[in-house]
Amino acid sequence: MFDSLDDIPAGIDLGTTNSCIGVWDGNSVKIIPNRIGERTSPSTLYFLNNSEEYLVGEQSMKYLQLQCQKIYSVKRIIGRDFNDPKLAEEIKLLNYDIISDNQTKKPIISLIQNEKKKLFTPETLSSYVLKKLVNDAEKLLMKPIKKVVITVPAYFDDAQRCATIDAAKLANLEVIRIINEPTAAALSYGFGQSFCPFKTEAPTFSKLFKENREKRAKREKGSNSLNNTNEVKNSFCLIEENRMNENKNVMVFDLGGGTFDLAILKINLQKKEYEVKSKISDKYLGGDDFDNKLLEHCLHVHGLDEVKEQIDKKSLERLRIACQQAKKILSIRNEADIQVDNFINERDIHLRIARDKFENEICNDLFDRLSQPFNELLDGANL
């Protein structure tokens, strides 16, 4: 499929929680799977104690239970000033040590390796993730990748964009363009060959969506349930049929692992032109915050608020991952269990969370922040 292409440029989504890489094969963009066949790879690194070895992405996940140091959500600190008061709030949510560089006044990550303190810049750690994505893609394509386009949140300032480019340089990559994530999504929708996610995603996702749709339909009354189900099913067909209209105003709702972007773009499909009409960002809101809300709720229910500082980081990380898994389950189920054995002082964490409680109590303020910007966004686009 790629034999006719030389010097392949790649598109990379360097995400807070997950990252992916894709290439254009002459007809459409192909997302390159990692070594285990997944289309996205966790943006995480594990540094094993008493070793120079580090593991990236899916390779690192199986080492969770070992005595190791996990680095995640680097995107939330890259290119920022250590004295930024908002960064101080971010640091509280991360289970690894961050200190200030005496010269640059930028945040750097401090780890203990071989009983020695080692310092890593966010750019260095991000370069490890980029190298992993590119290496996996090169092995599949059997061609080198030297040039990349990288997407960044719309709110990223010049320092954060430059830091992202520096990370790519450390990975021996040339950045030919930086594109805002909402713009990239709108371009994919307007000019892509296969937009509808329920036709292109893995069968497991389609199956879950179908099951969820059927269950919701059963909860409706009488014949209305069938009509509603058909309306949902047909709406995706209408998206495909109307997608190629010449002019479109497209709203992009992008809630990532660490950032939230809303944007409205005007697309001319014939001329292949786009214009950003309005955009709003919340750079302190993402999936990580929903995980942390669940974590704080678990600590509160078990009366551990006051002793949080005494809980070792490994136990907190186990609880954070359990909360993240429960959050994902609540996307398709009405209840989810959070269980961490021997959390502190031989005490276990065990809690069942209902979706209603998650949405309307635990994370209510976060959902409110997702809905608040819409009127301002529409006003900005004169719509």
Side-chain angles (χ1 to χ4, degrees):
M1 156 166 69
F2 301 99
D3 291 342
S4 62
L5 299 180
D6 296 315
D7 194 19
I8 300 172
I12 294 179
D13 175 9
L14 182 61
T16 306
T17 309
N18 294 286
S19 298
C20 73
I21 183 170
V23 296
W24 180 263
D25 75 341
N27 296 307
S28 62
V29 173
K30 303 297 182 184
I31 302 299
I32 307 300
N34 59 28
R35 296 181 183 182
I36 61 172
E38 298 290 341
R39 289 158 55 92
T40 60
S41 297
S43 305
T44 57
L45 301 100
Y46 278 89
F47 289 83
L48 301 179
N49 282 348
N50 302 317
S51 171
E52 296 295 324
E53 185 180 7
Y54 68 87
L55 303 160
V56 188
E58 75 283 351
Q59 298 171 355
S60 66
M61 302 310 288
K62 62 183 178 181
Y63 287 89
L64 174 63
Q65 302 302 326
L66 296 180
Q67 185 61 33
C68 56
Q69 303 178 81
K70 178 184 178 184
I71 306 299
Y72 59 94
S73 297
V74 174
K75 189 174 178 178
R76 298 189 84 150
I77 61 175
I78 193 170
R80 310 259 303 264
D81 289 325
F82 185 81
N83 294 326
D84 181 346
K86 288 289 187 180
L87 181 61
E89 295 300 315
E90 298 277 333
I91 290 175
K92 292 179 182 178
L93 304 177
L94 302 174
N95 293 331
Y96 49 88
D97 293 330
I98 300 175
I99 62 176
S100 175
D101 185 296
N102 292 330
Q103 293 182 334
T104 65
K105 305 302 180 184
K106 298 290 185 181
I108 53 177
I109 291 87
S110 174
L111 297 176
I112 302 298
Q113 284 185 286
N114 286 331
E115 300 180 355
K116 296 180 180 179
K117 180 186 286 187
K118 288 204 171 183
L119 304 178
F120 298 89
T121 65
E123 291 85 347
T124 299
L125 297 176
S126 294
S127 75
Y128 295 164
V129 177
L130 290 170
K131 285 179 182 178
K132 182 261 187 301
L133 293 170
V134 170
N135 288 341
D136 282 358
E138 287 179 335
K139 287 178 181 178
L140 184 63
L141 302 174
M142 293 184 292
K143 289 181 179 292
I145 294 174
K146 296 299 180 185
K147 297 181 180 180
V148 294
V149 174
I150 300 180
T151 62
V152 297
Y155 74 83
F156 256 28
D157 58 26
D158 288 343
Q160 290 168 303
R161 293 168 192 266
C162 288
T164 303
I165 293 173
D166 289 341
K169 289 178 180 177
L170 291 172
N172 297 316
L173 298 171
E174 176 189 350
V175 179
I176 57 179
R177 187 163 182 182
I178 292 284
I179 296 183
N180 287 345
E181 289 165 0
T183 302
L187 288 171
S188 175
Y189 167 73
F191 309 136
Q193 300 297 310
S194 55
F195 163 70
C196 185
F198 305 115
K199 292 183 180 179
T200 59
E201 288 288 350
T204 52
F205 185 87
S206 299
K207 182 180 178 182
L208 289 174
F209 174 76
K210 182 180 178 182
E211 290 176 355
N212 197 33
R213 187 178 66 200
E214 290 173 350
K215 287 182 179 179
R216 291 191 179 191
K218 289 178 181 178
R219 290 200 295 265
E220 300 292 337
K221 293 182 180 180
S223 61
N224 287 336
S225 63
L226 180 60
N227 293 334
N228 290 339
T229 303
N230 288 333
E231 286 173 10
V232 171
K233 186 161 82 172
N234 292 335
S235 65
F236 297 111
C237 299
L238 290 173
I239 288 173
E240 283 295 298
E241 291 171 4
N242 296 327
R243 189 167 62 87
M244 296 309 293
N245 288 347
E246 182 176 340
N247 289 299
K248 280 189 169 298
N249 288 314
V250 178
M251 177 186 287
V252 178
F253 181 100
D254 178 11
L255 178 64
T259 61
F260 174 47
D261 284 327
L262 270 176
I264 294 178
L265 296 93
K266 184 177 182 179
I267 299 177
N268 186 309
L269 294 174
Q270 274 194 347
K271 296 180 180 179
K272 293 194 173 182
E273 296 176 345
Y274 68 89
E275 175 188 1
V276 179
K277 304 292 289 184
S278 179
K279 65 179 181 181
I280 293 177
S281 299
D282 188 335
K283 52 187 175 182
Y284 307 110
L285 178 60
D288 289 353
D289 300 286
F290 289 82
D291 301 339
N292 288 320
K293 282 281 187 179
L294 271 178
L295 184 148
E296 296 291 346
H297 178 72
C298 288
L299 295 179
H300 177 72
V301 168
H302 287 79
L304 298 173
D305 305 71
E306 301 299 326
V307 297
K308 181 180 178 183
E309 300 301 324
Q310 302 172 22
I311 303 172
D312 69 271
K313 293 184 177 182
K314 184 180 177 184
S315 293
L316 281 174
E317 181 60 17
R318 289 164 57 213
L319 178 57
R320 193 188 70 83
I321 290 176
C323 290
Q324 185 182 79
Q325 292 170 341
K327 177 190 68 177
K328 293 178 180 180
I329 291 171
L330 289 174
S331 296
I332 55 173
R333 300 285 186 264
N334 290 323
E335 290 184 334
D337 289 326
I338 298 173
Q339 184 163 349
V340 178
D341 295 332
N342 196 20
F343 180 68
I344 180 175
N345 298 330
E346 298 185 354
R347 289 180 60 181
D348 300 335
I349 292 283
H350 185 206
L351 196 63
R352 177 162 293 180
I353 301 292
R355 184 193 295 176
D356 287 344
K357 187 175 184 67
F358 173 79
E359 294 178 348
N360 299 320
E361 294 183 33
I362 300 172
C363 297
N364 181 53
D365 59 327
L366 299 183
F367 284 110
D368 283 345
R369 285 168 62 184
L370 292 177
S371 61
Q372 287 168 0
F374 278 101
N375 287 335
E376 183 181 346
L377 184 77
L378 291 169
D379 290 341
N382 295 317
L383 295 173

